[in-house]
């Protein structure tokens, strides 16, 4: 009841209300439940009585100003009495009460109905009617201007088409590589079967393992893009700078951690889990890709947030060109390792280009100690502890594949625990206010 006068004033000054379900009952005089009258907002003259049965089912209705039928669903025990301004006329189903063809309440720009299910999605013509009513109001806030609409579409398109081309290029590259890699592997002296086997192990085992943790960075980059864009358009340079520094720190820490994990467990994942020792070799080699791959994802999102989509696209083209160069010219001479070098080189160059452009835009600070040295020290410590546990457990009399999995699980938990402790400490220190 605290806002009764404000609500009444808003309704009388033609503000728009869309009230659905049982909420419509609060705008009447009172609600009668078991012969006890509970006062409502008393804005409209109708009253509500709760019966000992429920009105449940679909309803088909018509509305003045809309040719199409209105459909919906209701589930209620309340009936509305003295409804003198119905919103809908019932064609099939139950209205405000049994045998009533009235449903809802309509006064000025107040639209109230028992219907839900959901009302707007199932009735686009009613939604269109409501939006037109809002846009035709005298309130300047809701004025609809075609010129502004096309201006906004133009701005949106100027960003979206670059992102679309970037996605198309990445997809095309994946298809092109799938065709090209076996061909260039054959040029290196391998048979067709060997070339397809190596490519299958690489793309079906090693690369999915390496790229799996990047889903975390992809999620982070998705969240920071609107934050960066909002802060940039609001000219909040300090906020952009802080968000950038924290995002880059997180990506590097994640990358360094997974260098250790994949180097430590590469042979186990490839040889024991997949049953292909060469997959383990590829995983250990590609482990060094992690920090650069995670950085390129995060910093690409930052560039998009800063409105530098064209530059981010150009950097990705350069990275793609490096991969294709190594694929066509290096792989025939050195084999599949040339392709791995190409992956590493492209991600490294793209990360450096992204970093240079971001630093040029916002002059963020890069703390080598916090971003590289500390994570490396803690990673080394966690790997040493994991190796000690692995050695100690290896001296037991237990043997077999199951025991090997158990040892690997225990060491993985110990490594992860130590590194999570480091992360918790770092985050706590970062939250401390600067003195």
């Amino acid at each position: 009841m605290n806002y009764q006068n404000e609500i009444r004033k808003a309704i009388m000054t033609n503000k728009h209300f869309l009230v659905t379900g049982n909420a419509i009952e609060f705008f009447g005089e009172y609600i009668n439940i078991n012969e006890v009258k509970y006062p409502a907002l008393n804005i409209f003259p109708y009253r509500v009585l709760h019966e000992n049965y429920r009105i449940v089912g679909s309803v088909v209705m018509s509305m003045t100003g809309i040719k199409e039928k209105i459909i919906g669903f209701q589930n209620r025990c309340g009936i509305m009495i003295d409804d003198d301004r119905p919103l809908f006329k019932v064609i099939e189903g139950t209205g405000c009460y049994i045998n009533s063809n009235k449903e809802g309440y309509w006064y000025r720009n107040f639209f109230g109905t028992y219907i839900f299910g959901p009302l707007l999605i199932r009735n686009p013509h009613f939604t269109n009617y409501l939006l037109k009513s809002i846009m035709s109001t005298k309130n300047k806030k809701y004025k609809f201007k075609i010129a502004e609409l096309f201006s906004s579409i133009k701005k949106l398109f100027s960003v979206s088409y670059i992102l679309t081309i970037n996605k198309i290029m990445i997809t095309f590259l994946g298809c092109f590589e799938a065709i090209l890699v076996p061909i260039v592997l054959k040029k290196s002296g391998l048979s067709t079967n060997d070339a397809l086997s190596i490519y299958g192990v690489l793309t079906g085992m090693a690369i999915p393992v390496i790229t799996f943790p990047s889903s975390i960075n992809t999620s982070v980059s998705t969240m920071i893009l609107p934050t960066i864009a909002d802060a940039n358009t609001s000219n909040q340079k300090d906020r952009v700078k802080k968000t950038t520094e924290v995002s880059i720190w997180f990506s590097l820490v994640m990358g360094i951690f997974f260098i250790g994990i994949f180097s430590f467990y590469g042979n186990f994942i490839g040889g024991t889990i997949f049953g292909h020792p060469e997959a383990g070799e590829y995983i250990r080699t590609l482990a060094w890709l992690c920090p650069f791959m995670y950085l390129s994802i995060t910093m690409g999102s930052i560039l998009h947030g800063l409105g530098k989509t064209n530059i981010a696209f150009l950097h990705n083209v350069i990275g793609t060109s490096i991969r294709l160069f190594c694929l066509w010219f290096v792989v025939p001479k050195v084999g599949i390792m040339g392709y791995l070098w190409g992956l590493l080189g492209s991600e490294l160059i793209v990360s450096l280009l992204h970093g240079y452009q971001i630093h040029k835009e916002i002059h963020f600070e890069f703390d080598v100690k916090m971003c590289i040295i500390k994570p490396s020290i803690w990673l080394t410590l966690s790997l040493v502890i994991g190796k000690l546990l692995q050695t100690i457990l290896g001296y037991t009399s237990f043997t077999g594949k199951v025991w090997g999995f158990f040892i690997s699980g225990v060491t993985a938990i110990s490594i992860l625990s130590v590194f999570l402790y480091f992360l918790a400490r770092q985050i706590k220190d970062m939250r401390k206010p600067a003195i």
Side-chain angles (χ1 to χ4, degrees):
M1 298 300 180
N2 294 336
Y3 299 98
Q4 181 180 17
N5 294 331
E6 287 84 350
I7 294 174
R8 185 191 302 275
K9 181 179 178 181
I11 293 174
M12 296 305 172
T13 54
N14 294 319
K15 298 296 187 298
H16 283 78
F17 284 75
L18 176 61
V19 180
T20 63
N22 293 337
I24 191 175
E25 298 179 352
F26 292 102
F27 290 82
E29 294 181 1
Y30 61 78
I31 304 172
N32 189 330
I33 303 176
N34 296 328
E35 304 301 327
V36 179
K37 294 181 179 179
Y38 297 92
L41 293 173
N42 196 24
I43 295 176
F44 302 122
Y46 61 79
R47 300 179 296 278
V48 174
L49 172 64
H50 277 212
E51 297 286 6
N52 56 4
Y53 57 85
R54 298 195 70 82
I55 299 173
V56 182
S58 298
V59 60
V60 181
M61 303 167 294
S62 62
M63 175 182 171
T64 303
I66 300 178
K67 295 180 181 179
E68 291 76 15
K69 291 183 176 64
I70 306 296
I71 59 174
F73 186 83
Q74 52 186 340
N75 185 353
R76 57 188 170 93
C77 62
I79 61 173
M80 187 185 297
I81 305 171
D82 296 332
D83 180 3
D84 59 338
R85 293 177 178 270
L87 175 62
F88 301 125
K89 181 180 179 180
V90 177
I91 300 173
E92 297 179 18
T94 305
C96 290
Y97 52 88
I98 302 297
N99 297 325
S100 170
N101 66 348
K102 300 176 181 180
E103 206 289 321
Y105 201 87
W106 186 4
Y107 178 75
R108 297 194 177 189
N109 289 326
F110 177 91
F111 301 85
T113 174
Y114 271 116
I115 302 304
F116 57 94
L119 175 64
L120 296 180
I121 296 176
R122 298 184 69 185
N123 299 281
H125 300 289
F126 175 73
T127 305
N128 186 50
Y129 182 92
L130 187 63
L131 290 174
K132 283 183 177 179
S133 176
I134 292 173
M135 290 186 289
S136 64
T137 184
K138 293 181 179 180
N139 189 338
K140 294 182 179 179
K141 183 177 180 181
Y142 298 112
K143 279 193 174 178
F144 181 76
K145 297 180 180 179
I146 296 295
E148 291 182 0
L149 173 63
F150 281 104
S151 176
S152 300
I153 291 175
K154 185 178 179 181
K155 291 178 181 178
L156 181 63
F157 182 76
S158 66
V159 176
S160 62
Y161 88 94
I162 291 293
L163 297 176
T164 303
I165 292 175
N166 191 25
K167 291 293 184 182
I168 292 174
M169 185 192 70
I170 293 173
T171 303
F172 174 76
L173 174 65
C175 296
F176 189 61
E177 284 182 338
I179 299 171
L180 198 59
V181 171
I183 295 175
V184 294
L185 284 174
K186 285 180 63 178
K187 292 176 66 176
S188 68
L190 295 176
S191 65
T192 302
N193 290 336
D194 290 340
L196 292 174
S197 176
I198 290 175
Y199 183 65
V201 170
L202 179 65
T203 58
M205 300 178 188
I207 291 181
V209 170
I210 295 296
T211 57
F212 175 73
S214 66
S215 59
I216 300 174
N217 283 80
T218 302
S219 301
V220 171
S221 64
T222 302
M223 291 187 292
I224 65 172
L225 194 154
T227 303
I228 295 287
D230 177 63
N232 186 51
T233 53
S234 303
N235 202 29
Q236 298 176 5
K237 299 299 182 184
D238 291 339
R239 184 182 170 199
V240 174
K241 183 178 177 182
K242 183 64 176 177
T243 304
T244 299
E245 290 171 353
V246 173
S247 301
I248 290 176
W249 168 82
F250 179 77
S251 298
L252 274 173
V253 168
M254 285 282 296
I256 290 171
F257 173 70
F258 280 105
I259 284 178
I261 289 295
F262 292 139
S263 297
F264 190 84
Y265 286 102
N267 290 334
F268 173 78
I269 296 172
T272 306
I273 296 180
F274 289 130
H276 286 273
E278 60 269 28
E281 182 182 346
Y282 298 152
I283 291 171
R284 288 168 62 89
T285 302
L286 289 172
W288 298 95
L289 182 71
C290 291
F292 308 114
M293 180 173 60
Y294 303 162
L295 270 178
S296 66
I297 293 172
T298 300
M299 292 195 291
S301 185
I302 293 171
L303 282 176
H304 293 155
L306 293 173
K308 303 298 179 180
T309 52
N310 292 341
I311 295 175
F313 173 70
L314 177 61
H315 294 170
N316 286 330
V317 169
I318 294 172
T320 301
S321 302
I322 293 172
R323 291 171 64 176
L324 290 176
F325 176 85
C326 291
L327 188 60
W328 189 255
F329 293 102
V330 181
V331 172
K333 295 182 179 180
V334 301
I336 194 63
M337 293 303 296
Y339 179 62
L340 304 186
W341 296 342
L343 289 175
L344 181 60
S346 66
E347 294 293 347
L348 174 60
I349 295 299
V350 170
S351 298
L352 291 175
L353 290 173
H354 282 353
Y356 171 78
Q357 186 63 41
I358 294 172
H359 188 270
K360 184 179 176 181
E361 294 293 327
I362 60 175
H363 304 289
F364 69 93
E365 296 179 1
F366 182 76
D367 190 336
V368 176
K369 180 181 177 182
M370 187 174 74
C371 293
I372 298 178
I373 297 176
K374 277 190 176 181
S376 299
I377 293 173
W378 279 89
L379 174 65
T380 303
L381 176 63
S382 64
L383 291 177
V384 168
I385 293 174
K387 187 64 178 178
L388 286 173
L389 280 173
Q390 190 180 58
T391 304
I392 293 170
L393 293 173
Y395 281 123
T396 61
S397 58
F398 297 101
T399 57
K401 202 169 186 178
V402 175
W403 181 245
F405 276 101
F406 175 77
I407 293 176
S408 298
V410 171
T411 54
I413 292 173
S414 65
I415 293 171
L416 182 62
S417 300
V418 173
F419 205 77
L420 286 177
Y421 174 74
F422 156 72
L423 272 181
R425 283 189 50 173
Q426 286 293 102
I427 294 173
K428 184 178 179 181
D429 292 341
M430 292 169 68
R431 288 179 175 176
K432 290 181 180 177
I435 299 175

